[in-house]
Amino acid sequence: MSNQEILDKLKDTIVNQNINGCAEATQEALDAGLTPVEIINDGLSPGMKVIGDKFEAAEIYLPQIMMSAKAMNAAMEILLPIMEAEKGEADEGAGLAITYVQEGDIHDIGHRLVTTMLGANGFKIVDLGVDVPNDTLVEEVAKNKGKKMLLVGSALMTTSMLGQKDTVEMLSEEGLRDSVKIMFGGAPVSDKWIEEIGADATAENAADAARVALNLMK
Amino acid sequence: MATEYKLRMGDGKRLFMTKEQIVADLKEGMADAADLGDIPDLSEDEIDKLVEIITMPSRMVGVEQGMEVPVTHDIGTIRIDGDQGNSGVGIPASRLVGAMMHERAFGADTMELGHIDYSYKPAKPVIAQEMQTMEVCQQNMIVPLLYGAMPNMGLYYTPDGPFENPGDLMKAFKIDEARESMEHSAKHLTRDIVWIMQRMMASGSDGVNFDTIGAAGDGDMYASLHAIESLRKQFPDIYIEAGMAGELLLGMHGELEYDGTVLAGLWPHQQAALVAKAGANVFGPVVNTNTSKSSAWNLGRAVTFIKQAVKDSTIPCHVNMGMGVGGIPMLETPTVDAVSRASKAMVEIAGVDGI
């Protein structure tokens, strides 16, 4: 099987939500000499892009996305230890992503998907969970000041979305705004809102979030 | 300087736009609907008519004489008594008084009796009170009085109900278990709706209103369609109104089917056929309002969707018009300028049979 055929097979396992098949195809790809980065960038991520597009077009739905994410997870369980061993502790990878759901909000399916996708794309993850107060965020950013850092906040409701504005303001007041890139997501978040509150970016879905995050950290 | 007209954003904020800006937003909203639903654009004449309606100088507008349509109310019996959190005006009044006020003072053509919790499941423990109230209302009223509530399948999931919450199961990647939980919940929801309506029909109800079908996704729709089918068989003359929760049927399950059609992802014009097939008399299509867009954008989009639903539906369409739907801004008490313009457009351009 050619390398391209192996990568196509990896992509198909993601698109078809084939969890066991994805893990097997990942091992096959490694055995064939492909690197973890090639496997992620040219096999798994294109699969998640297809899934994202299909979700946008209302051709597939949340359960199918979750199954694809699970397939991706199965591959990452094999790839991450190899990548970490190759990089060593000092390597920052794509950066440190602090992910969380805004205070007052416990809807975390989107947050989990985005966290998975960021991890799969080389970010080190600090997952603060749901209903996270802004004080905690500021503390975490202060603790990691100096690192290549991305704050990734999620809010499903317009009421909790308003807290994102406070997050940006509090980071500015504490002199930490320039230490971190900020991405916000969730159903009510728009480009206009991102511009209004002075954050850096948003994304349409989990697959897009990984792409936007990588661009932001360049 | 070009003349500017008063419009609103989807969140109700006042907005001033030139005619050119209005046309641009109308066309953009229309294109969004046409793209999503794979349906035709409005004609240039229809766009012109929308511009005319939006730019009318009167604060409130109405349909042309001879184009009046029936108006059907949902939770109106408690709209008088309820507080703002329940879309009410806080005037102490019984449900009978509320229903009679709608019939005799507000010109409602049909009315609905609803419980303050407004879902079928919580009506079960108070069924005796609901039956008695229906009977008393029927003795005092002339217009058709339906019993109505939300299917609201979410009430069957933990912590409110007996089945494990699919959201929690999905987060743990237990997809099959999540789907099974939805299927079990749907069976119970169908059973409860039928049980409640058997009793309400025994108390003289003229029919049933399914308010906000699909609020909990495709499982909610699946349960509601089966309940409609069962009620039609048991009560051949029952009047069944099937109103939707949103424009797109969300695929929380993703694979549920009715009559060979996958429910997830259906748009209003596609939902209409299934509702009719199940046995409903009236279909209540919904188009959601985008709060970040102008009322012109929202109205162009809503009219495009609803026009196609009316065209494809074999039963009358009574479009949902209210806060956050039908091109109307998302406000607890929607403004009359926006409501009357959107309603006129729905009648005169989309061709709805009722509101």
Side-chain angles (χ1 to χ4, degrees):
Chain A
M1 201 184 287
S2 71
N3 283 358
Q4 190 54 52
E5 283 170 333
I6 292 171
L7 292 169
D8 287 344
K9 188 177 172 186
L10 275 165
K11 180 180 162 187
D12 289 345
T13 59
I14 295 284
V15 173
N16 298 322
Q17 300 125 39
N18 183 352
I19 297 157
N20 294 335
C22 191
E24 285 165 15
T26 301
Q27 194 55 57
E28 255 179 64
L30 287 169
D31 294 344
L34 287 165
T35 66
V37 173
E38 286 171 331
I39 291 170
I40 293 169
N41 289 345
D42 303 329
L44 301 174
S45 290
M48 283 308 285
K49 169 79 172 60
V50 172
I51 287 293
D53 291 345
K54 281 176 174 274
F55 183 70
E56 279 290 297
E59 288 173 16
I60 59 161
Y61 307 94
L62 197 55
Q64 287 96 332
I65 287 201
M66 296 301 288
M67 298 274 267
S68 291
K70 192 174 179 180
M72 180 108 183
N73 259 349
M76 293 312 296
E77 278 175 16
I78 298 169
L79 297 175
L80 277 176
I82 299 170
M83 290 168 80
E84 276 168 19
E86 284 173 358
K87 280 188 298 195
E89 277 301 305
D91 194 315
E92 285 188 313
L96 174 71
I98 300 169
T99 67
Y100 68 99
V101 179
Q102 201 74 34
E103 185 172 18
D105 205 328
I106 57 165
H107 299 93
D108 69 342
I109 289 180
H111 154 75
R112 282 175 185 237
L113 278 173
V114 169
T115 302
T116 300
M117 288 303 294
L118 293 178
N121 280 272
F123 282 88
K124 290 190 173 174
I125 302 291
V126 173
D127 185 349
L128 297 178
V130 301
D131 192 18
V132 181
N134 279 323
D135 289 341
T136 307
L137 298 173
V138 171
E139 276 171 29
E140 194 63 37
V141 171
K143 200 167 81 184
N144 290 288
K145 191 176 177 184
K147 290 182 184 167
K148 211 168 139 189
M149 193 172 16
L150 176 67
L151 192 62
V152 187
S154 170
L156 180 74
M157 305 180 294
T158 41
T159 46
S160 51
M161 180 188 79
L162 297 175
Q164 295 172 344
K165 189 177 182 184
D166 299 333
T167 308
V168 179
E169 284 173 4
M170 283 175 74
L171 287 169
S172 298
E173 283 165 15
E174 297 295 326
L176 293 166
R177 178 64 187 90
D178 295 334
S179 308
V180 62
K181 297 283 185 187
I182 303 176
M183 266 181 82
F184 288 130
V189 177
S190 64
D191 287 327
K192 198 177 168 196
W193 172 247
I194 293 295
E195 192 184 334
E196 188 181 326
I197 65 175
D200 295 308
T202 183
E204 285 293 318
N205 52 52
D208 191 38
R211 184 187 59 75
V212 171
L214 288 171
N215 279 339
L216 210 53
M217 302 304 279
K218 272 180 186 168
Chain B
M1 188 178 159
T3 305
E4 288 191 327
Y5 299 90
K6 285 181 181 175
L7 280 84
R8 292 188 184 272
M9 287 295 288
D11 63 2
K13 193 166 75 179
R14 179 59 84 188
L15 177 71
F16 293 89
M17 296 175 83
T18 65
K19 192 173 175 182
E20 287 68 30
Q21 288 170 330
I22 292 170
V23 171
D25 265 20
L26 278 170
K27 288 189 174 176
E28 199 182 301
M30 172 191 74
D32 189 57
D35 179 41
L36 288 169
D38 195 18
I39 54 178
D41 287 345
L42 299 172
S43 69
E44 283 298 324
D45 284 349
E46 287 166 335
I47 293 284
D48 287 347
K49 178 80 177 171
L50 274 171
V51 174
E52 185 193 327
I53 291 170
I54 288 171
T55 58
M56 282 177 166
S58 308
R59 179 166 165 266
M60 182 177 169
V61 303
V63 296
E64 292 170 18
Q65 288 191 44
M67 295 191 79
E68 297 87 348
V69 296
V71 287
T72 308
H73 284 257
D74 54 5
I75 199 170
T77 43
I78 54 175
R79 189 173 289 132
I80 305 300
D81 185 45
D83 63 13
Q84 270 284 295
N86 223 333
S87 305
V89 291
I91 300 170
S94 68
R95 289 192 284 171
L96 169 64
V97 170
M100 290 180 75
M101 283 170 80
H102 277 79
E103 176 192 87
R104 298 181 189 189
F106 305 153
D109 294 298
T110 78
M111 200 53 213
E112 175 198 281
L113 177 69
H115 186 255
I116 195 154
D117 284 337
Y118 206 53
S119 295
Y120 283 100
K121 190 178 165 217
K124 279 163 58 188
V126 293
I127 192 68
Q129 186 190 21
E130 297 307 274
M131 291 168 71
Q132 188 176 348
T133 308
M134 172 60 77
E135 194 173 322
V136 172
C137 288
Q138 290 288 358
Q139 285 166 347
N140 285 277
M141 293 177 65
I142 297 159
V143 299
L145 182 65
L146 318 177
Y147 189 77
M150 296 165 60
N152 206 355
M153 201 169 83
L155 290 180
Y156 292 80
Y157 304 148
T158 51
D160 299 306
F163 300 108
E164 203 162 348
N165 197 305
D168 294 337
L169 289 167
M170 270 198 258
K171 279 189 293 194
F173 292 111
K174 294 180 178 174
I175 310 300
D176 290 340
E177 291 89 336
R179 284 177 164 154
E180 279 170 22
S181 187
M182 289 180 224
E183 289 159 19
H184 289 145
S185 298
K187 278 184 191 160
H188 281 249
L189 174 56
T190 301
R191 189 195 64 184
D192 285 351
I193 293 171
V194 171
W195 186 86
I196 287 164
M197 283 316 301
Q198 284 168 340
R199 275 137 196 89
M200 298 315 295
M201 292 302 285
S203 306
S205 178
D206 293 298
V208 55
N209 178 28
F210 288 76
D211 190 320
T212 65
I213 292 174
D218 46 355
D220 197 301
M221 175 76 156
Y222 180 85
S224 300
L225 290 171
H226 282 282
I228 291 170
E229 192 181 301
S230 174
L231 288 169
R232 175 58 63 213
K233 279 185 194 148
Q234 292 179 49
F235 305 100
D237 296 329
I238 187 175
Y239 184 90
I240 302 176
E241 186 169 329
M244 300 303 296
E247 59 191 30
L248 178 69
L249 203 49
L250 296 176
M252 301 310 290
H253 185 291
E255 292 180 351
L256 289 171
E257 294 182 11
Y258 183 79
D259 195 37
T261 302
V262 175
L263 296 174
L266 295 182
W267 295 98
H269 62 289
Q270 298 160 327
Q271 298 155 8
L274 294 185
V275 166
K277 173 87 181 174
N281 298 84
V282 166
F283 174 51
V286 167
V287 178
N288 301 95
T289 294
N290 183 331
T291 54
S292 302
K293 299 284 188 180
S294 72
S295 50
W297 188 93
N298 279 299
L299 195 52
R301 186 174 182 278
V303 169
T304 306
F305 264 131
I306 297 297
K307 184 187 166 200
Q308 192 63 33
V310 171
K311 187 171 175 236
D312 290 357
S313 180
T314 55
I315 55 176
C317 282
H318 287 200
V319 61
N320 274 265
M321 300 297 283
M323 61 171 180
V325 292
I328 294 171
M330 181 61 212
L331 290 168
E332 188 65 37
T333 304
T335 58
V336 72
D337 54 320
V339 173
S340 63
R341 278 168 177 76
S343 301
K344 182 177 171 69
M346 285 297 175
V347 174
E348 296 181 0
I349 300 169
V352 298
D353 304 283
I355 288 177

